[in-house]
Amino acid sequence: MASAAEQLASNLNFAAFAKAEDLKKRIWFTIGALLVYRLGTYIPLPGINPDAFAQAFSSQSKGVLGMFNMFAGGAVQRMAIFALGIMPYISASIIMQLMTSVIPSLESLKKEGEQGRKIINQYTRYGTVLLALIQAYGISVGLEGGNGIVNDPGMFFRISTVVTLVGGTMFLMWLGEQITARGIGNGISLIIFSGIVAGLPRAISGTLELGRTGALSTGLILAIIVLAIVVIALIVFFERAQRRLLIQYPKRQVGNRMFQGDTSHLPLKLNTSGVIPPIFASSLLLLPATVAGFSQTTNLPAWASTILASLGHGQPLYMIFYAGMIVFFAFFYTAIVFNPKDTADQLKKHSGFIPGYRPGERTAEYIDYVLTRITVVGAIYLVLVCLLPEFLISATGVPFYLGGTSLLIVVSVTLDTVAQIQGHLIAHQYEGLIKKSKLRGGKRSR
């Protein structure tokens, strides 16, 4: 069966794609949904002075607002109806994952299967609404505090802003779920992906403009291209890397027949935490720069100014804390999303075991030992991918869109989407082979 699947995968071509009508419908639906999202990032909030806001945003673009603007596809820079983006939903999902590991009632729901998952998803939606309400109200108050940004400040502006921004986030959450169900790939990830990719042409043109004016040498631009290719290759290799633990099942007897025990593998991803560590680390570290930008009118103490300057983007202390927080969140998030004890219990329940290790607690200890070791390698990989571009950005002033976090998201989502497309094509070819075999069987019977 494995060789047949490999042969089908090797024979995938445009002819097979042309015959896969369901796949084409899914791809067109995904493209249409992402176009709707991109249009929404250009519709501004009512009651905003775009020129005044653009001037205020330019002074804060290197802080946390710049990163949120990247994830929102430029909607923050334009203060569009999708300015909150999908980040409240992601934050609510992470909080819910944390709560399922510490609250027994939610943990039991998680173990109930599909029905429990639906209830947890509903709680996640409620959390998204709550977080979006808080953030939207904070944005409305912050906009009113700006110089000439809001045309008519007051309660009506705040209510309309909150309703618009929260509605935009809920629409994006619904759109992401529709893409997942009726399109190709993970809808939430594709929305973030499209926002980042939409800003890449402007970042590349900005880099080429720096080369044209002489601010960047031709050799340095070529080095940037080579580094980007190396980082992409590194991401592809490590995101596909797995440690497979051999699982064996004992012999079983059915009637008078004895069946040989099966073997399988437990795949452990090298980077179980995904893109969460760099996102969390950069968000927390960029907060001081954002607070300092909003506090320019106040006189900060000398020690506070020194700390803020040391934590500035590209500073040595910033790099050290960035690397340390990536490592911390890599282990922290891996511990949340993967529980060795639950995995060992599931293996024991289905009579599976790892050779040389007793089922139950001893198996859980071994899985935890292996997971810890590969997480060390995964954390080092994340640090390298995220810090190499950071050094380049701080030394040359290359646009922020070429950072390691954005490349990590783009490459990871692309790999997952391509894998889903290949899966649909393989399934379509299998269906075609089954239909042909049935037709041949029918002709023979006649």
Side-chain angles (χ1 to χ4, degrees), residues 289-307:
T290 304
V291 172
F294 283 121
S295 305
Q296 288 178 353
T297 56
T298 61
N299 294 322
L300 294 175
W303 61 269
S305 300
T306 303
I307 293 176

Side-chain angles (χ1 to χ4, degrees), residues 32-46 68-88 132 135-136 139 161-176 191-192 194-195:
L34 294 178
L35 284 176
V36 171
Y37 161 64
R38 290 303 304 156
L39 287 174
T41 60
Y42 286 89
I43 302 175
L45 282 174
F68 287 157
N69 183 59
M70 178 187 70
F71 291 141
V76 177
Q77 183 179 3
R78 295 181 285 271
M79 194 43 65
I81 59 175
F82 290 160
L84 281 182
I86 205 67
M87 295 306 290
Q135 294 179 18
I139 288 175
T161 300
V162 169
V163 171
T164 303
L165 291 178
V166 173
T169 295
M170 299 309 295
F171 176 79
L172 288 182
M173 183 179 67
W174 174 83
L175 192 66
I191 287 175
I192 299 176
S194 63

Side-chain angles (χ1 to χ4, degrees), residues 179-414:
I179 293 174
T180 303
R182 302 170 59 186
I184 289 292
N186 182 283
I188 303 299
S189 300
L190 281 173
I191 287 175
I192 299 176
F193 167 86
S194 63
I196 296 174
V197 170
L200 282 176
R202 185 171 67 252
I204 294 173
S205 64
T207 304
L208 295 178
E209 180 64 20
L210 291 175
R212 189 186 67 81
T213 57
L216 291 178
S217 64
T218 304
L220 185 56
I221 293 177
L222 292 176
I224 293 171
I225 297 173
V226 171
L227 179 63
I229 295 173
V230 170
V231 170
I232 290 172
L234 193 68
I235 293 172
V236 172
F237 176 79
F238 278 94
E239 288 300 318
R240 291 300 185 193
Q242 294 179 346
R243 170 67 189 277
R244 295 185 176 184
L245 302 181
L246 179 64
I247 306 296
Q248 288 188 348
Y249 295 92
K251 296 180 180 179
R252 56 192 179 92
Q253 184 173 356
V254 179
N256 295 325
R257 297 184 62 183
M258 179 67 70
F259 290 89
Q260 185 67 28
D262 296 329
T263 61
S264 64
H265 292 88
L266 174 65
L268 300 177
K269 284 192 65 176
L270 195 66
N271 179 29
T272 307
S273 57
V275 298
I276 297 299
I279 291 176
F280 269 37
S282 55
S283 299
L284 291 176
L285 282 175
L286 287 173
L287 276 177
T290 304
V291 172
F294 283 121
S295 305
Q296 288 178 353
T297 56
T298 61
N299 294 322
L300 294 175
W303 61 269
S305 300
T306 303
I307 293 176
L308 288 173
S310 301
L311 289 175
H313 199 274
Q315 297 299 318
L317 189 62
Y318 172 88
M319 300 292 189
I320 294 172
F321 273 100
Y322 189 32
M325 293 178 76
I326 287 175
V327 173
F328 169 75
F329 283 118
F331 279 93
F332 181 74
Y333 195 71
T334 299
I336 291 173
V337 299
F338 191 93
N339 191 331
K341 188 176 184 303
D342 290 344
T343 304
D345 291 340
Q346 288 295 322
L347 288 175
K348 186 177 181 180
K349 181 179 177 181
H350 294 89
S351 302
F353 64 93
I354 298 177
Y357 297 91
R358 183 178 300 172
E361 184 177 352
R362 189 72 184 91
T363 299
E365 291 176 357
Y366 176 70
I367 294 175
D368 183 63
Y369 169 73
V370 174
L371 187 64
T372 302
R373 292 180 65 186
I374 64 175
T375 303
V376 171
V377 180
I380 294 173
Y381 143 71
L382 287 176
V383 170
L384 288 176
V385 167
C386 294
L387 284 191
L388 281 176
E390 287 293 332
F391 283 118
L392 186 65
I393 291 171
S394 61
T396 62
V398 176
F400 183 69
Y401 272 92
L402 297 179
T405 305
S406 57
L407 279 177
L408 183 63
I409 294 173
V410 169
V411 176
S412 300
V413 174
T414 302

Side-chain angles (χ1 to χ4, degrees), residues 127-165:
T128 302
V129 174
L130 179 61
L131 290 176
L133 283 171
I134 296 172
Q135 294 179 18
Y137 184 77
I139 288 175
S140 65
V141 174
L143 291 174
E144 286 186 340
N147 186 17
I149 295 178
V150 179
N151 297 326
D152 188 16
M155 186 55 64
F156 179 77
F157 170 77
R158 295 185 184 183
I159 293 175
S160 64
T161 300
V162 169
V163 171
T164 303
L165 291 178

